[in-house]
């Protein structure tokens, strides 16, 4: 911007003209500043007027969702949703290959899918809003979802690592981690309930015998009876044992079980008592991570 210096003069008319010129220059500078801020704020005004939101919806009964197409507009089925599963919709897409099928972009169970528009329950206004979302708005919503998925996955990974560390410590302390401890109906033709237990030897010694003291519990949380089952080894360090016992209870009223204590005898004759065995029961994912077991893909 040019800067002009106006010298003082004796002629009144020239002095008045100079004053008017300086005022015009000040007004021009003020206008320039206003326009500058207007253009800086202009994108905010635009986005505030075109802000779009996710649409909360529910699925109809037994509907399929997928992440890619296999034949024309047919989805490669990844999941089947029960009725009224909550899903989040963030866009609309019309597939026009061999046939024409309308889909919504959906977020469910921490992942992204396609779902037919006819397979969700939403209002007419929500349907209208979804179909009006343009590509830039959809990308903005998708970026938000991807960030949310990233954060959740990081939290999940952190939680898994903490559990692995916790149960590794418990396993080392007690010499055992338990994968399953459950009852099963012995037969539809006889009255009887069996018991199954699987576990890993986390100690550095070979197990000779293990005794599990287990309560059988009925549907109203009353104890039916306390039974003891004996597992015969040998079970070497870092190896697993799976044992099934038939007719532990000669009744069908046992619905679940609870361990009260475990006794381990090693090949060297030493014995270990575990008074809190239920704290050693862990889910399969954590168990496999600790034992280094490769999980099969679903």
């Amino acid at each position: 911007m040019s800067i002009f210096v106006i010298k003082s003069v004796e002629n009144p008319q020239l002095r008045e003209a100079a004053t008017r010129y300086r005022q015009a220059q000040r007004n021009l500078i003020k206008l320039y500043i206003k326009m500058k801020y207007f253009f800086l704020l202009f994108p905010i005004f635009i986005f505030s007027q075109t802000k779009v939101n996710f649409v909360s919806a529910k699925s109809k009964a037994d509907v399929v969702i997928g992440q890619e197409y296999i034949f024309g507009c047919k989805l490669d089925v990844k999941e089947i949703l029960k009725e009224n599963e909550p899903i989040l919709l963030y866009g609309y897409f019309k597939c026009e290959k061999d046939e024409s099928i309308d889909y919504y972009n959906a977020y469910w169970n921490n992942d992204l899918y396609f779902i037919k528009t006819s397979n969700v329950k939403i209002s007419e206004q929500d349907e209208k809003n979804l179909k009006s979302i343009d590509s830039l708005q959809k990308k903005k919503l998708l970026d938000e979802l991807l960030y949310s998925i990233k954060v959740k996955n990081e939290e999940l990974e952190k939680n898994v690592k903490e559990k692995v560390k916790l149960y590794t410590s418990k396993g080392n302390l007690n010499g055992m981690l338990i994968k399953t401890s459950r009852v099963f109906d012995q037969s539809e033709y006889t009255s009887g309930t069996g018991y199954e237990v699987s576990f890993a030897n986390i100690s550095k010694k070979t197990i000779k015998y293990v005794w599990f003291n287990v309560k059988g519990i009925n549907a109203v949380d009353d104890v039916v009876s306390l039974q003891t089952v004996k597992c015969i080894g040998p079970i070497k360090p870092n190896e697993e044992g799976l044992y099934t016992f038939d007719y532990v209870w000669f009744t069908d009223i046992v619905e679940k079980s609870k361990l009260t204590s475990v006794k381990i005898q090693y090949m060297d004759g030493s014995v270990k008592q575990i008074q809190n065995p239920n704290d050693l029961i862990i889910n399969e994912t954590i168990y496999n991570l600790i034992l280094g077991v490769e999980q099969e893909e679903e």
Side-chain angles (χ1 to χ4, degrees):
M1 178 181 296
S2 300
I3 299 176
F4 298 92
V5 178
I6 308 298
K7 296 182 178 179
S8 59
V9 291
E10 296 299 328
N11 190 312
Q13 292 181 339
L14 290 177
R15 187 163 53 246
E16 182 180 354
T19 301
R20 287 199 302 271
Y21 183 82
R22 284 195 296 270
Q23 184 62 43
Q25 285 289 91
R26 284 195 291 269
N27 291 340
L28 183 61
I29 292 172
K30 289 179 181 179
L31 179 60
Y32 169 79
I33 292 173
K34 288 181 180 180
M35 292 300 293
K36 180 180 179 181
Y37 279 103
F38 173 79
F39 284 110
L40 285 173
L41 294 173
F42 182 75
I44 298 176
F45 295 148
I46 294 298
F47 283 111
S48 66
Q49 295 299 316
T50 59
K51 180 174 175 57
V52 293
N53 294 312
F54 301 100
V55 172
S56 296
K58 291 187 177 180
S59 63
K60 295 182 180 179
D62 301 323
V63 300
V64 301
I65 56 176
Q67 296 176 318
E68 56 187 14
Y69 306 105
I70 47 175
F71 302 111
C73 292
K74 300 292 185 183
L75 281 180
D76 181 13
V77 178
K78 294 289 288 185
E79 301 284 348
I80 299 178
L81 304 185
K82 298 178 181 178
E83 187 172 12
N84 292 326
E85 281 278 347
I87 52 180
L88 207 60
L89 307 178
Y90 64 94
Y92 164 78
F93 173 71
K94 179 184 284 292
C95 179
E96 293 182 299
K97 294 182 180 179
D98 297 337
E99 56 184 325
S100 178
I101 301 179
D102 292 343
Y103 289 103
Y104 287 132
N105 299 96
Y107 172 75
W108 176 80
N109 197 26
N110 206 34
D111 212 342
L112 305 176
Y113 297 93
F114 294 114
I115 185 171
K116 283 185 179 180
T117 57
S118 58
N119 287 338
V120 298
K121 302 175 183 179
I122 59 172
S123 68
E124 290 184 5
Q125 184 60 50
D126 284 337
E127 181 180 356
K128 182 179 178 182
N129 291 341
L130 283 167
K131 291 184 176 180
S132 68
I133 293 175
D134 61 34
S135 58
L136 291 177
Q137 292 168 334
K138 184 188 290 189
K139 183 182 182 303
K140 184 175 183 296
L141 293 175
L142 178 59
D143 287 343
E144 291 181 25
L145 283 175
L146 292 176
Y147 178 75
S148 174
I149 292 172
K150 177 177 177 291
V151 170
K152 287 184 178 180
N153 286 339
E154 288 174 350
E155 291 175 352
L156 179 61
E157 183 179 355
K158 180 181 178 182
N159 182 260
V160 167
K161 287 181 178 179
E162 289 175 351
K163 286 188 176 181
V164 167
K165 183 178 179 181
L166 172 65
Y167 282 104
T168 298
S169 176
K170 287 185 176 184
N172 291 333
L173 179 64
N174 293 277
M176 170 185 288
L177 286 174
I178 302 171
K179 185 178 182 180
T180 57
S181 173
R182 67 180 187 89
V183 298
F184 59 89
D185 184 28
Q186 195 65 61
S187 170
E188 61 179 314
Y189 304 107
T190 61
S191 295
T193 304
Y195 177 71
E196 180 183 282
V197 62
S198 62
F199 58 91
N201 178 8
I202 308 298
S203 74
K204 297 181 179 180
K205 298 188 288 186
T206 300
I207 292 175
K208 185 176 183 180
Y209 299 115
V210 183
W211 292 267
F212 288 90
N213 295 316
V214 56
K215 291 179 181 178
I217 301 171
N218 64 20
V220 293
D221 290 334
D222 286 336
V223 176
V224 177
S225 66
L226 174 66
Q227 301 293 336
T228 300
V229 295
K230 182 180 180 180
C231 306
I232 301 174
I235 305 172
K236 296 179 181 180
N238 296 318
E239 286 189 349
E240 300 174 77
L242 170 63
Y243 296 86
T244 302
F245 302 93
D246 293 333
Y247 291 100
V248 176
W249 296 272
F250 289 94
T251 176
D252 287 333
I253 66 172
V254 176
E255 296 286 333
K256 56 186 177 181
S257 63
K258 183 177 182 179
L259 292 169
T260 60
S261 63
V262 175
K263 176 183 175 182
I264 305 173
Q265 182 179 336
Y266 297 98
M267 294 295 287
D268 64 2
S270 61
V271 175
K272 188 175 190 65
Q273 298 280 355
I274 301 175
Q275 301 301 327
N276 56 343
N278 293 293
D279 291 344
L280 304 178
I281 301 174
I282 58 177
N283 69 50
E284 187 173 358
T285 299
I286 304 300
Y287 181 93
N288 289 341
L289 286 171
I290 293 174
L291 272 293
V293 179
E294 292 186 2
Q295 300 184 53
E296 296 181 359
E297 293 185 1
E298 297 182 356

